[in-house]
Amino acid sequence: MKAPLSFLRPAFLIAAFGTAFSGTAFSSGEDRLYDDAIRSLAESNPEGAISGLKEVIRLNPQHLGAKLDLGLAYCQANDPANADRIFSDLRQLPMLPAAIGELIDYTRKNSCGPAPSRWQGYAALGAGRTNNLNQAPSASSFFLPPFGIFVELTEASRPRKDAFRNTEVSMAYNAKDNGWGGGAFFQRTNHAHSNDYDTSLSRIFLNRRFRSDTVYGETMGSIGHLVLGGKSYLTAASIDTLAMTPVSADKAWHAGGIASLSDLRYQTLPDYRSRIVETRGRLKWQPSQNLRLIGEAGWSNDVALAGRPGGNRSGEVAQFCLRWIPREKDSLEMLFRRTRLGDDNAYSPAFFGDARRNPNQRNWYVSWRHALQDTLR
């Protein structure tokens, strides 16, 4: 984890360093320029700080405190080459205080490396369990009005519980705080006993991040293809928007929401098509850079646009995610998701009466993710 530059810069130490080695008193003009430059550095305005510090050094080449701050400003501006040049000159001074030398070494190692590549990827392995992978009816029997009888569902038509393992690979160009990005994602899921429900999901996506002083988030569009049981099953186009804002003074708590729209086209049954609209409120607690907990709750509405048995479905969705980053490139993730859906209309009211599937699901999943770049956060 990289320490913030404001923490690395003990002002009283640097001021003493500059005064002890300059051999001359600083003029009031230099002091004003120096103070303005340090204020720019504290306000994350490295360009302003660099301009001011250069002027201080032009007026007084012996102002070594300004030189040290110039190196830190170059670090903040993601210009490690110029920062290293400044630090190398300072490091060669024969009477350099040990504390300043340690500060320079720490900054070089932890806060002033080359800017990370925006091309980033990860691979993940995980395992989990689901209580109703086939989205079967919650009831084991239903009543047929034309015949006045109850029909018992076969074992294969009842909710199937099974364990599964996941493999994920992704490569993406990460967007800046206000910029475009995109990439590709692949996921393979294998079940322990239900091979007919094994899936392969391929997806490409384009995203646009946004950030202001109070709100941040992103909008993402994607196209995906799902293979189910070894057969092409459906193609989905979706768009998702996330917006969050800090809600506590220490910025550990964040609140916001997610809205998504998906259009599903079934390959094996060309007449089938559906649209899913889902909205969820989101609450995030991040007490440190290495730990975050996210809870979400909302509503899902699955509308059959053409020819799908069972008609429309809607209901509550909720999920909880914990993410722990023990090392720079590795993270442990735990996810629990629950859906309580109900059919808004019967399969065929004249024949099935008021039969409903109510395909409620509970899934939990644990995975270990390894990043190809040092930017898991």
Side-chain angles (χ1 to χ4, degrees):
M1 181 180 66
K2 295 184 177 180
L5 289 173
S6 58
F7 172 78
L8 291 176
R9 184 188 177 278
F12 70 91
L13 185 61
I14 294 174
F17 168 60
T19 302
F21 280 83
S22 65
T24 60
F26 302 152
S27 70
S28 59
E30 290 172 36
D31 284 340
R32 284 194 299 272
L33 283 171
Y34 186 55
D35 290 343
D36 290 344
I38 296 309
R39 191 176 301 112
S40 295
L41 192 59
E43 294 173 351
S44 298
N45 178 16
E47 290 78 13
I50 290 170
S51 177
L53 291 168
K54 282 184 174 180
E55 181 62 16
V56 172
I57 295 170
R58 186 187 70 80
L59 294 173
N60 184 358
Q62 303 304 315
H63 198 313
L64 301 182
K67 288 187 177 180
L68 179 57
D69 280 319
L70 180 58
L72 296 177
Y74 277 128
C75 284
Q76 196 176 94
N78 290 322
D79 188 350
N82 274 318
D84 192 66
R85 174 178 56 80
I86 300 284
F87 291 149
S88 295
D89 290 344
L90 292 173
R91 212 59 181 93
Q92 293 174 9
L93 294 174
M95 299 179 63
L96 182 75
I100 297 297
E102 291 175 4
L103 174 62
I104 290 173
D105 293 343
Y106 185 89
T107 304
R108 276 175 151 176
K109 180 179 179 181
N110 295 281
S111 299
C112 204
S117 170
R118 294 204 173 274
W119 281 105
Q120 296 156 15
Y122 75 85
L125 296 175
R129 187 170 180 83
T130 180
N131 76 316
N132 188 1
L133 66 90
N134 55 333
Q135 299 188 30
S138 55
S140 60
S141 63
F142 57 91
F143 182 68
L144 295 182
F147 304 102
I149 61 174
F150 281 90
V151 175
E152 195 79 16
L153 295 177
T154 65
E155 190 65 30
S157 299
R158 297 180 183 179
R160 294 163 66 175
K161 302 178 181 179
D162 206 352
F164 62 87
R165 65 181 185 276
N166 262 7
T167 303
E168 296 179 9
V169 178
S170 179
M171 180 61 69
Y173 181 81
N174 277 5
K176 298 181 179 180
D177 286 344
N178 288 283
W180 291 93
F185 169 86
F186 176 80
Q187 180 189 72
R188 173 70 181 173
T189 302
N190 296 94
H191 293 87
H193 305 292
S194 305
N195 296 336
D196 52 331
Y197 279 88
D198 291 348
T199 61
S200 296
L201 173 64
S202 304
R203 188 178 64 173
I204 57 174
F205 57 89
L206 181 69
N207 65 317
R208 177 70 162 84
R209 289 184 178 176
F210 56 89
R211 179 180 291 273
S212 67
D213 293 339
T214 57
V215 179
Y216 65 93
E218 72 175 322
T219 296
M220 175 185 294
S222 65
I223 298 176
H225 182 72
L226 181 69
V227 175
L228 175 67
K231 298 179 181 179
S232 180
Y233 184 61
L234 64 81
T235 298
S238 64
I239 184 168
D240 309 82
T241 297
L242 161 71
M244 299 286 289
T245 185
V247 293
S248 64
D250 61 359
K251 297 188 177 181
W253 289 92
H254 299 240
I258 302 172
S260 64
L261 171 66
S262 301
D263 184 277
L264 310 182
R265 297 175 181 268
Y266 298 82
Q267 305 298 304
T268 52
L269 300 166
D271 293 334
Y272 285 16
R273 185 182 168 203
S274 67
R275 180 184 65 232
I276 300 176
V277 178
E278 191 167 297
T279 57
R280 303 190 302 276
R282 177 184 248 212
L283 184 64
K284 180 176 75 171
W285 180 53
Q286 187 170 347
S288 72
Q289 288 292 315
N290 295 340
L291 179 66
R292 69 182 62 173
L293 291 86
I294 300 174
E296 299 177 359
W299 187 265
S300 179
N301 187 29
D302 184 352
V303 178
L305 300 180
R308 186 182 64 184
N312 304 335
R313 296 192 293 269
S314 62
E316 305 92 354
V317 295
Q319 66 182 41
F320 174 80
C321 177
L322 179 150
R323 191 177 194 187
W324 174 53
I325 305 176
R327 294 193 299 267
E328 189 70 28
K329 290 189 177 183
D330 296 290
S331 68
L332 176 69
E333 296 190 6
M334 302 176 64
L335 175 70
F336 176 80
R337 179 177 171 90
R338 171 108 187 223
T339 60
R340 295 174 58 86
L341 303 179
D343 290 337
D344 293 342
N345 54 284
Y347 286 78
S348 173
F351 188 80
F352 288 97
D354 61 353
R356 300 288 191 273
R357 290 194 311 143
N358 299 325
N360 301 327
Q361 287 185 303
R362 293 189 308 274
N363 303 295
W364 64 263
Y365 175 59
V366 179
S367 69
W368 187 268
R369 177 179 297 189
H370 180 75
L372 303 181
Q373 297 287 343
D374 301 338
T375 49
L376 272 169
R377 296 174 183 81

